[in-house]
Amino acid sequence: MKIICIGRNYAKHIEELANEKPENPVIFLKPDSAILLKNQPFFIPPFSNDIHYEVEVLVKINKVGKYIDEKFAHKYYDEIGLGIDFTARDIQTKCKEKGLPWEKAKAFDGSAVIGKFILKGQLGDLNNLAFTLHKNNKLVQDGNTNAMLWKIDELIAYISQYFTLKKGDVLFTGTPAGVGKVSENDKLVGAIKNQELFSIKIK
């Protein structure tokens, strides 16, 4: 399986990082080795002093697809989840300054938290889906998919022009504003519609 991530999909997050609004979705990949094993803590890697959390709505692909028409995109997923795209912001900043790829900052081991999945039929309108991230019981990210620049079905149609989607692939759909640094002993809890989907300790 592969992890396909979307950057800059929420306007306020673009503003907080002083990035330019893209003309098309920004796509990057994480390898399967980036997945944080279930019930394991996230260990801050020795190569970064500025690891940021980024909570994101996830989509699990359920069948093979290529050049998917947007009107048929809904047939390619049944489950929605929540996760974290951990980012080594200091390394990412250096890479961006030099025009280099981001993989070292985004795709390192343990950088992808994949929480529980929920059948999409239980969630109602996927384009109006509230989700949150609490750090040490304090609300730090409060998002809604209605603020996405590109909705889920648009993303699937766009991505499938470049990458064949396969059963088990996971799509990270972008993060809202409120990203920030993690420190040792922090606890991160993510929820969709107040239903907890992951809880992560930082070591």
Side-chain angles (χ1 to χ4, degrees), residues 60-76:
K60 185 188 288 186
I61 301 301
N62 64 6
K63 62 180 178 179
V64 174
K66 177 71 174 173
Y67 295 115
I68 300 166
D69 193 300
E70 183 182 333
K71 65 184 177 183
F72 298 123
H74 67 278
K75 296 183 177 182
Y76 287 82

Side-chain angles (χ1 to χ4, degrees), residues 42-200:
F42 173 79
F43 288 91
I44 297 173
F47 51 75
S48 175
N49 296 312
D50 195 19
I51 298 290
H52 281 209
Y53 57 78
E54 298 187 7
V55 71
E56 309 200 11
V57 170
L58 310 183
V59 180
K60 185 188 288 186
I61 301 301
N62 64 6
K63 62 180 178 179
V64 174
K66 177 71 174 173
Y67 295 115
I68 300 166
D69 193 300
E70 183 182 333
K71 65 184 177 183
F72 298 123
H74 67 278
K75 296 183 177 182
Y76 287 82
Y77 62 98
D78 296 317
E79 296 175 283
I80 299 294
L82 199 67
I84 293 179
D85 165 22
F86 280 119
T87 303
R89 192 71 71 201
D90 46 358
I91 293 176
Q92 185 189 36
T93 298
K94 291 178 182 177
C95 290
K96 287 165 62 176
E97 287 173 350
K98 296 179 180 179
L100 298 173
W102 300 349
E103 273 75 10
K104 288 192 297 183
K106 286 281 193 179
F108 57 88
D109 291 353
S111 62
V113 173
I114 296 178
K116 299 175 185 175
F117 283 91
I118 304 172
L119 291 174
K120 66 181 183 182
Q122 299 176 8
L123 293 171
D125 184 3
L126 300 184
N127 293 325
N128 188 24
L129 197 60
F131 59 101
T132 57
L133 182 72
H134 284 78
K135 184 175 81 166
N136 305 329
N137 297 315
K138 178 183 178 182
L139 180 65
V140 288
Q141 287 190 273
D142 187 7
N144 193 302
T145 55
N146 62 19
M148 283 181 170
L149 299 180
W150 293 278
K151 307 303 184 189
I152 291 172
D153 289 357
E154 291 178 276
L155 291 174
I156 288 174
Y158 183 80
I159 292 165
S160 70
Q161 296 178 49
Y162 301 92
F163 305 104
T164 298
L165 296 176
K166 294 186 176 182
K167 184 177 182 179
D169 288 350
V170 175
L171 170 61
F172 278 61
T173 60
T175 193
V179 303
K181 184 177 180 178
V182 295
S183 301
E184 191 174 345
N185 299 317
D186 281 346
K187 183 179 180 181
L188 303 175
V189 177
I192 289 181
K193 288 190 170 181
N194 297 316
Q195 181 175 342
E196 183 180 313
L197 296 186
F198 66 78
S199 176
I200 301 294

